[in-house]
Amino acid sequence: MTEAGADFPLLHASAEAVPLPDASFDVVFCDHGAMSFADPERTVPEAARLLRPGGLLAFSAESPLHFICWDDDTNAVSEQLRSNYFERTSADDGESIVFSLPYGDWIRLFRRQSFTIEDLIELRPPIDAESTYNEYVPHGWARQWPAEQIWRCHKEEPNGVGS
Ligand SMILES: C[S@@+](CC[C@H](N)C(=O)[O-])C[C@H]1O[C@@H](n2cnc3c(N)ncnc32)[C@H](O)[C@@H]1O
């Protein structure tokens, strides 16, 4: 914050239970953060509670494809579907737990919390991109399948229209 010349309060709390008032934010976002490492059944309702009508929920996370192609034996992503898409919605390696829902479950969860889905961006690196994170996904894999995705949703206005 000092380097960037920014000055704002920071709060250390779980996104599953944020100690802040209802309808107090215009944007809720994270980059491979709470929406991956906390239970979406708890974080999406919290995001809905914290946002003002028309507010934006945007977050990046692992794609379901990457999640089900992960090989626990080699600890690397494979080119095979290795786990049950419908039934394995979290993975715990003993150090951390990561959540990944099927697409339909995400959509129904957003809609139950009065979100309008604006976009699902499936990330594909440029052909000449260089990664510093090859242990997560090799460049060749990510050129063929989305390893990461970004959801963009708006909290509906009281008249039922997302902005
Ligand atoms: C992979 S790191 C995010 C990296 C970050 N976006 C960056 O570019 O440096 C995962 C983050 O999720 C946060 N996190 C994990 N569980 C959380 C929870 N229940 N509530 C809020 N944040 C959580 C961790 O504190 C950590 O900062």
Side-chain angles (χ1 to χ4, degrees):
M1 289 173 71
T2 306
E3 276 178 25
D7 184 20
F8 51 84
L10 295 173
L11 180 70
H12 190 193
S14 175
E16 293 185 351
V18 180
L20 291 168
D22 297 357
S24 51
F25 287 88
D26 296 315
V27 177
V28 170
F29 82 98
C30 67
D31 164 45
H32 280 263
M35 302 303 292
S36 303
F37 301 104
D39 186 349
E41 295 287 345
R42 296 179 66 175
T43 54
V44 174
E46 271 297 80
R49 183 185 69 76
L50 291 164
L51 283 170
R52 298 186 184 100
L56 172 69
L57 168 63
F59 62 94
S60 66
E62 180 178 12
S63 73
L65 262 181
H66 186 273
F67 186 72
I68 60 174
C69 287
W70 190 260
D71 183 345
D72 288 331
D73 295 330
T74 60
N75 215 24
V77 72
S78 72
E79 296 193 0
Q80 292 174 318
L81 304 176
R82 306 193 75 91
S83 60
N84 188 314
Y85 176 73
F86 296 105
E87 293 180 10
R88 194 188 201 211
T89 54
S90 66
D92 186 347
D93 68 2
E95 279 185 25
S96 66
I97 184 164
V98 64
F99 291 83
S100 178
L101 301 184
Y103 288 109
D105 285 3
W106 275 118
I107 289 169
R108 284 181 289 277
L109 178 55
F110 292 137
R111 288 174 58 87
R112 277 202 303 279
Q113 297 301 324
S114 300
F115 280 111
T116 298
I117 298 164
E118 182 184 298
D119 206 351
L120 172 65
I121 302 161
E122 296 170 295
L123 300 174
R124 187 185 194 199
I127 196 157
D128 58 350
E130 285 184 27
S131 176
T132 55
Y133 208 14
N134 283 305
E135 67 273 23
Y136 176 76
V137 64
H139 178 261
W141 197 103
R143 285 286 299 168
Q144 295 184 80
W145 305 287
E148 303 174 285
Q149 59 191 22
I150 299 172
W151 284 103
R152 279 182 63 94
C153 305
H154 278 94
K155 180 83 184 291
E156 285 174 8
E157 303 279 2
N159 64 5
V161 180
S163 67

